Amino acid sequence: MSTQLWRLDATRFEAADLARIAVFAALIAVLGLPGAINVGVVPITLQTLGVMLAGAVLGPLRGAAAVATFIALVAVGLPLLSGGRGGLGVFAGPTAGYLTGWLLGVIVIGLIVRAGARRAGAGRAGASGPSWWRVALGAIVGGILAIYAVGIPVQSLITGMPLGETVVTSLIFLPGDLIKVVLTVIVSMALWRAYPAAFRWPVPAKNAQTEHRDAV
Ligand SMILES: O=C(O)CCCC[C@@H]1SC[C@@H]2NC(=O)N[C@@H]21
């Protein structure tokens, strides 16, 4: 199907987008409230679940805006990281790479989930939602691999621990992060069914008046 038949409005942020971005930035903050499991210098935290959900639901651009908003609030000193941490010092600490990785991760998740959006809606009267396997793939590649790819080398650099050893110690995050992938799939699919307007999702142009309509 040609792109003219699709209403694509990737970069225009509407008031509803700002609300979505704020909601997901707040969700990431709230997921820090239960605290963290301290297994070394980098904690196991629920906040990465918020990052995965932001990418799956908002897409790469608006998801990145939500994570960037959260990171900016941390940078100006709000104690929004698990354990009530915040401030510029965090960005010189062992978790600095993971925080930067959240930004890369949310973009990767959004791109992978959205890559199926047009195909899913093509030729149908209304838009189909995200496919569960794309959400799972996006959360694994973006929410785990991309975040680790930035976080582990920076952790190694800052702590002085050899890279190989840092990789091995980071395996402790994997079981929890895989559970977060499953939760991301369950919550995303349930949210699509209950409230598709939460998503930014392309539909054929003839249905472009519906709320869940954009691409990225
Ligand atoms: O609180 C911070 O300063 C950032 C925490 C980063 C935690 C990383 S993200 C990937 C991996 N999964 C976790 O649950 N913890 C680490």
Side-chain angles (χ1 to χ4, degrees):
M1 178 169 279
S2 84
T3 46
Q4 290 94 315
L5 294 180
W6 292 88
R7 176 177 168 139
L8 297 177
D9 192 1
T11 51
R12 194 163 55 88
F13 279 29
E14 299 168 355
D17 287 321
L18 299 181
R20 289 180 179 99
I21 289 163
V23 164
F24 276 86
L27 175 69
I28 298 170
V30 165
L31 287 170
L33 291 179
I37 302 175
N38 290 310
V39 288
V41 291
V42 178
I44 294 176
T45 167
L46 267 178
Q47 291 185 303
T48 42
L49 173 61
V51 174
M52 292 179 190
L53 284 169
V57 175
L58 298 187
L61 198 62
R62 293 163 181 84
V67 173
T69 301
F70 174 81
I71 289 175
L73 293 175
V74 169
V76 298
L78 295 191
L80 299 179
L81 289 170
S82 60
R85 288 166 303 118
L88 283 178
V90 170
F91 299 92
T95 65
Y98 292 99
L99 290 171
T100 317
W102 288 3
L103 211 44
L104 173 67
V106 74
I107 292 170
V108 172
I109 297 164
L111 286 174
I112 290 175
V113 175
R114 285 300 182 277
R118 261 186 264 173
R119 190 191 309 272
R124 302 195 185 167
S128 294
S131 54
W132 72 266
W133 66 267
R134 268 189 193 276
V135 176
L137 183 69
I140 289 170
V141 177
I144 297 181
L145 296 181
I147 292 175
Y148 288 21
V150 185
I152 291 174
V154 173
Q155 182 190 343
S156 165
L157 207 67
I158 288 176
T159 61
M161 183 188 282
L163 184 60
E165 208 177 310
T166 311
V167 170
V168 172
T169 59
S170 302
L171 292 178
I172 193 149
F173 301 130
L174 214 43
D177 284 342
L178 287 170
I179 291 171
K180 290 171 211 163
V181 169
V182 174
L183 289 174
T184 299
V185 173
I186 293 170
V187 173
S188 299
M189 303 316 285
L191 187 61
W192 173 265
R193 279 193 297 274
Y195 188 58
F199 286 69
R200 301 293 286 177
W201 205 255
V203 297
K206 59 184 174 172
N207 297 316
Q209 298 312 310
T210 53
E211 172 68 19
H212 45 282
R213 62 179 180 270
D214 291 335
V216 289

